[in-house]
Amino acid sequence: MAPEVAKEAEKMAGVKILSKAHVKPGKPIGRRECQLVTFDLPYIAFSYNQKLLIYKGGESDFEGVVERLKDGLGVVLEEFYQLAGKLGKDEDGVFRVEYDDDMNGVEVAAAKAEGIEVADLAVEEGTDKLKELVPYNGILNVEGLRRPLLAVQITKLKDGLALGCAFNHAILDGTSTWHFMGSWAEACNGALSVSAPPFLDRTKARNTRVKLNLPMPSEHSNGDAASPPPGPPLRERVFKFPESAIDKIKSKVNDSNPGPKPFSTFQALSSHVWRAVTRARGLKPEDITVFCVFADCRKRVEPPMPESYFGNLIQAVFTGTAAGLLGAHPPEFGAGMIQQAIGAHDAKAIDARNAEWEASPKIFQWKDAGVNCVAVGSSPRFQVYDVDFGFGKPEIVRSGSNNRFDGMVYLYQGKSGGRSIDVEISLDAGAMENLEKDEEFLMEEVVA
């Protein structure tokens, strides 16, 4: 092992758990139950959804920061109490979220890794070295039957803090995740109540009762059951697209747009990424490649649901074509396919998908995303860099190692704000090496 590699490994091995506690809502809630619905259930065999926020500063009063975060958590859980509960089943075997005042609540761990600096994490391309900063690696959502639905780890770094959160993906999506995070930050800054309370009755979006029979992982499982089948080694990399690059990508597809409707930033950037990943994989012209986006359906369902709807209200939207066609045509070809697929996913299509699933329930697995897939999750609309608990805005926002596969893409608001976007990609190591050399993808402006 090279000396510098050994030094980095020694640094990251220094994460030590100092204490564990549980946080409940700050006032009695009583017994509450809420059925999981068709939008939630396909994700029951995903792993917990992990988010990692890195902050500069705050380490000098680490114990005070931990108490502030716990106090704020107690306030915000008065409205978001489902996160302090557990999964359960009713008498018919239908999954639900259950909360009672005698439950443990949210798991909160305090840790230290004083050999690690914020700068060490800023340049880290993969997620392996970040694993120890986020709880519940490899833990399946179904384990929420016996585990907390939210686990938090606050780690003291040499010159900052790491806040790692693991959310049970069976009970909430990205919109709800960042709604909660923003509300938690408000409470830590002195708010006595949540400014935008969550809409908790998920049966208003769908009320079909579906029974699922799932085996529970072993009581002593270390999470291996949630790991994908062995395959080629993956690499993760963040590509930072500044406003200038985003504007060029969007202008290029719209200057040659054959349709009446302009392409959105998402559609233009997605086409750019899809085409580049397809080139990097070296696919044959006849090989099929699939694009998938987990689309927010709050405004698509009938009746529409409020932005504050708490739960999963997403569906996977697919399109695909031959690799040769995607590469031979200009970027607006891919953007047009994405635009058409998203536009067609209206209330009627959503209902049809739900009815089909309810007639023959299938637990979603990553291989279901499609062959040679590029799948996009998260959204640059989420104000992730505005999550300020009172010790500044985050320097870095990353996803954890859970729920990754070859072709998974997470889009985040760029740290510099405005229209900048960070593109976090997981790829086969050989394809990632090709992508890093792709001048058309990098445009001389993208920071990798």
Side-chain angles (χ1 to χ4, degrees):
M1 183 182 286
E4 63 272 15
V5 176
K7 184 178 179 182
E8 286 301 313
E10 183 179 345
K11 276 184 178 181
M12 295 309 295
V15 179
K16 180 182 179 182
I17 301 294
L18 301 173
S19 65
K20 283 191 177 181
H22 289 85
V23 176
K24 298 182 179 183
K27 65 181 182 183
I29 302 293
R31 176 77 180 181
R32 302 290 179 91
E33 298 170 353
C34 187
Q35 170 193 323
L36 293 188
V37 299
T38 309
F39 291 102
D40 301 304
L41 292 172
Y43 305 103
I44 199 80
F46 275 32
S47 298
Y48 274 65
N49 199 18
Q50 298 171 310
K51 298 301 173 188
L52 178 63
L53 292 78
I54 310 294
Y55 293 86
K56 190 89 169 176
E59 77 288 346
S60 59
D61 182 26
F62 181 67
E63 291 184 2
V65 165
V66 171
E67 289 308 308
R68 170 188 281 194
L69 288 168
K70 288 163 67 174
D71 289 347
L73 188 56
V75 172
V76 76
L77 287 175
E78 293 176 14
E79 295 286 353
F80 290 87
Y81 58 81
Q82 290 185 8
L83 284 169
K86 295 271 181 70
L87 293 183
K89 291 184 178 181
D90 65 18
E91 61 277 5
D92 296 324
V94 176
F95 275 96
R96 64 188 181 191
V97 186
E98 301 175 346
Y99 176 80
D100 211 332
D101 292 332
D102 62 1
M103 290 183 175
N104 288 333
V106 173
E107 179 180 301
V108 179
K112 68 175 181 179
E114 294 175 283
I116 304 173
E117 299 180 13
V118 171
D120 298 328
L121 303 175
V123 299
E124 175 54 49
E125 72 159 62
T127 59
D128 281 350
K129 294 179 183 177
L130 306 178
K131 266 188 172 183
E132 291 187 74
L133 301 174
V134 191
Y136 285 17
N137 291 293
I139 300 299
L140 291 171
N141 293 320
V142 70
E143 294 196 45
L145 288 164
R146 62 174 180 235
R147 292 178 184 265
L149 301 180
L150 169 60
V152 175
Q153 180 178 319
I154 310 152
T155 305
K156 180 181 181 182
L157 307 176
K158 185 176 181 179
D159 58 348
L161 301 169
L163 178 64
C165 300
F167 295 87
N168 192 297
H169 203 342
I171 74 159
L172 81 170
D173 58 16
T175 297
S176 293
T177 294
W178 293 106
H179 178 197
F180 167 79
M181 292 296 284
S183 300
W184 184 11
E186 284 181 3
C188 288
N189 284 292
L192 300 179
S193 61
V194 173
S195 63
F199 180 86
L200 294 172
D201 188 0
R202 57 189 75 205
T203 61
K204 295 296 185 184
R206 192 78 178 180
N207 199 18
T208 308
R209 294 169 54 77
V210 181
K211 180 180 178 179
L212 294 177
N213 292 312
L214 290 176
M216 274 290 290
S218 162
E219 185 83 35
H220 305 290
S221 168
N222 62 2
D224 290 344
S227 301
L234 295 183
R235 283 181 56 201
E236 294 90 25
R237 194 73 188 263
V238 177
F239 297 90
K240 298 179 183 294
F241 284 75
E243 284 190 339
S244 57
I246 294 296
D247 290 346
K248 285 180 182 177
I249 291 168
K250 189 174 181 180
S251 294
K252 184 175 181 180
V253 294
N254 278 305
D255 285 348
S256 306
N257 184 357
K261 188 176 180 182
F263 294 121
S264 68
T265 296
F266 173 81
Q267 293 157 6
L269 179 60
S270 293
S271 176
H272 185 78
V273 172
W274 186 19
R275 298 174 80 247
V277 169
T278 301
R279 288 194 300 270
R281 285 171 166 162
L283 301 180
K284 298 175 182 177
E286 65 271 21
D287 288 341
I288 297 299
T289 174
V290 172
F291 178 87
C292 169
V293 56
F294 291 89
D296 183 3
C297 297
R298 284 167 175 77
K299 300 305 180 190
R300 298 173 186 271
V301 293
E302 187 59 48
M305 291 292 108
E307 188 72 10
S308 59
Y309 176 98
F310 185 82
N312 287 288
L313 202 41
I314 55 175
Q315 277 189 346
V317 177
F318 302 91
T319 189
T321 187
L325 285 175
L326 185 65
H329 285 81
E332 54 268 24
F333 175 77
M337 294 188 68
I338 295 167
Q339 184 186 69
Q340 183 177 17
I342 293 173
H345 204 70
D346 56 13
K348 185 177 179 180
I350 292 167
D351 283 346
R353 174 83 65 83
N354 283 333
E356 180 184 13
W357 189 90
E358 289 158 2
S360 181
K362 179 180 181 181
I363 300 304
F364 194 92
Q365 297 178 327
W366 288 120
K367 64 181 176 62
D368 300 320
V371 64
N372 299 317
C373 187
V374 172
V376 177
S378 194
S379 169
R381 293 186 298 105
F382 301 150
Q383 302 297 303
V384 301
Y385 284 101
D386 290 343
V387 181
D388 182 350
F389 294 96
F391 41 85
K393 295 184 178 183
E395 293 292 316
I396 307 161
V397 178
R398 296 289 301 273
S399 300
S401 59
N402 286 352
N403 300 324
R404 287 184 180 271
F405 67 100
D406 183 11
M408 187 68 214
V409 177
Y410 291 101
L411 300 182
Y412 287 111
Q413 169 194 38
K415 174 67 168 66
S416 58
R419 297 181 300 281
S420 63
I421 296 175
D422 289 350
V423 181
E424 188 177 76
I425 304 179
S426 298
L427 275 184
D428 168 87
M432 182 66 80
E433 186 176 350
N434 292 335
L435 188 66
E436 291 169 330
K437 299 173 183 175
D438 188 331
E439 294 181 0
E440 183 179 345
F441 174 66
L442 297 175
M443 304 171 60
E444 299 181 355
E445 297 175 66
V446 177
V447 179

mmCIF file of all heavy atoms in Angstrom, residues 24 47 63 70 87 99 255 258 426 441:
data_model
loop_
_atom_site.group_PDB
_atom_site.id
_atom_site.type_symbol
_atom_site.label_atom_id
_atom_site.label_comp_id
_atom_site.label_asym_id
_atom_site.label_seq_id
_atom_site.Cartn_x
_atom_site.Cartn_y
_atom_site.Cartn_z
ATOM 1 N N LYS A 24 -37.354 11.701 21.057
ATOM 2 C CA LYS A 24 -38.789 11.602 20.794
ATOM 3 C C LYS A 24 -39.367 12.989 20.553
ATOM 4 O O LYS A 24 -38.721 13.996 20.859
ATOM 5 C CB LYS A 24 -39.498 10.967 21.995
ATOM 6 C CG LYS A 24 -39.078 9.554 22.326
ATOM 7 C CD LYS A 24 -39.908 9.061 23.511
ATOM 8 C CE LYS A 24 -39.555 7.650 23.888
ATOM 9 N NZ LYS A 24 -40.416 7.149 24.996
ATOM 10 N N SER A 47 -32.721 -0.009 0.334
ATOM 11 C CA SER A 47 -32.023 0.278 1.582
ATOM 12 C C SER A 47 -32.423 1.661 2.086
ATOM 13 O O SER A 47 -32.997 2.467 1.348
ATOM 14 C CB SER A 47 -30.511 0.237 1.363
ATOM 15 O OG SER A 47 -30.107 -1.053 0.954
ATOM 16 N N GLU A 63 -20.236 19.378 21.936
ATOM 17 C CA GLU A 63 -21.305 18.901 22.823
ATOM 18 C C GLU A 63 -22.522 19.827 22.761
ATOM 19 O O GLU A 63 -23.665 19.366 22.761
ATOM 20 C CB GLU A 63 -20.789 18.797 24.259
ATOM 21 C CG GLU A 63 -19.775 17.682 24.451
ATOM 22 C CD GLU A 63 -19.342 17.542 25.901
ATOM 23 O OE1 GLU A 63 -19.868 18.285 26.763
ATOM 24 O OE2 GLU A 63 -18.475 16.700 26.172
ATOM 25 N N LYS A 70 -30.309 17.813 18.906
ATOM 26 C CA LYS A 70 -31.286 16.947 19.570
ATOM 27 C C LYS A 70 -32.511 17.742 20.031
ATOM 28 O O LYS A 70 -33.656 17.288 19.879
ATOM 29 C CB LYS A 70 -30.625 16.216 20.742
ATOM 30 C CG LYS A 70 -29.650 15.137 20.289
ATOM 31 C CD LYS A 70 -28.699 14.690 21.382
ATOM 32 C CE LYS A 70 -29.356 13.970 22.510
ATOM 33 N NZ LYS A 70 -28.356 13.439 23.473
ATOM 34 N N LEU A 87 -42.166 0.703 11.431
ATOM 35 C CA LEU A 87 -43.088 0.041 10.529
ATOM 36 C C LEU A 87 -43.862 -1.013 11.310
ATOM 37 O O LEU A 87 -43.363 -1.581 12.286
ATOM 38 C CB LEU A 87 -42.342 -0.643 9.377
ATOM 39 C CG LEU A 87 -41.630 0.249 8.364
ATOM 40 C CD1 LEU A 87 -41.012 -0.606 7.265
ATOM 41 C CD2 LEU A 87 -42.576 1.278 7.764
ATOM 42 N N TYR A 99 -46.795 4.978 15.388
ATOM 43 C CA TYR A 99 -46.103 5.763 16.416
ATOM 44 C C TYR A 99 -46.859 5.636 17.721
ATOM 45 O O TYR A 99 -48.093 5.673 17.749
ATOM 46 C CB TYR A 99 -45.975 7.242 16.050
ATOM 47 C CG TYR A 99 -45.349 8.013 17.194
ATOM 48 C CD1 TYR A 99 -43.977 7.989 17.373
ATOM 49 C CD2 TYR A 99 -46.131 8.669 18.139
ATOM 50 C CE1 TYR A 99 -43.387 8.616 18.471
ATOM 51 C CE2 TYR A 99 -45.561 9.293 19.232
ATOM 52 C CZ TYR A 99 -44.187 9.266 19.392
ATOM 53 O OH TYR A 99 -43.602 9.858 20.479
ATOM 54 N N ASP A 255 -31.812 25.603 -29.203
ATOM 55 C CA ASP A 255 -31.570 26.272 -30.486
ATOM 56 C C ASP A 255 -32.004 25.399 -31.657
ATOM 57 O O ASP A 255 -32.357 25.903 -32.728
ATOM 58 C CB ASP A 255 -30.090 26.623 -30.625
ATOM 59 C CG ASP A 255 -29.689 27.808 -29.757
ATOM 60 O OD1 ASP A 255 -30.603 28.487 -29.234
ATOM 61 O OD2 ASP A 255 -28.475 28.033 -29.577
ATOM 62 N N PRO A 258 -36.942 20.831 -32.304
ATOM 63 C CA PRO A 258 -37.941 20.730 -33.371
ATOM 64 C C PRO A 258 -39.375 20.862 -32.863
ATOM 65 O O PRO A 258 -40.303 21.014 -33.663
ATOM 66 C CB PRO A 258 -37.709 19.318 -33.917
ATOM 67 C CG PRO A 258 -37.192 18.544 -32.736
ATOM 68 C CD PRO A 258 -36.384 19.525 -31.907
ATOM 69 N N SER A 426 -22.559 7.037 -10.344
ATOM 70 C CA SER A 426 -21.948 5.734 -10.049
ATOM 71 C C SER A 426 -21.854 4.956 -11.363
ATOM 72 O O SER A 426 -22.860 4.795 -12.057
ATOM 73 C CB SER A 426 -22.787 4.941 -9.056
ATOM 74 O OG SER A 426 -22.892 5.607 -7.824
ATOM 75 N N PHE A 441 -18.370 15.865 -22.784
ATOM 76 C CA PHE A 441 -19.112 15.856 -21.517
ATOM 77 C C PHE A 441 -18.612 16.941 -20.573
ATOM 78 O O PHE A 441 -19.394 17.669 -19.966
ATOM 79 C CB PHE A 441 -18.970 14.477 -20.860
ATOM 80 C CG PHE A 441 -19.573 14.385 -19.483
ATOM 81 C CD1 PHE A 441 -20.945 14.507 -19.304
ATOM 82 C CD2 PHE A 441 -18.774 14.162 -18.371
ATOM 83 C CE1 PHE A 441 -21.506 14.406 -18.030
ATOM 84 C CE2 PHE A 441 -19.316 14.056 -17.110
ATOM 85 C CZ PHE A 441 -20.691 14.191 -16.930
#
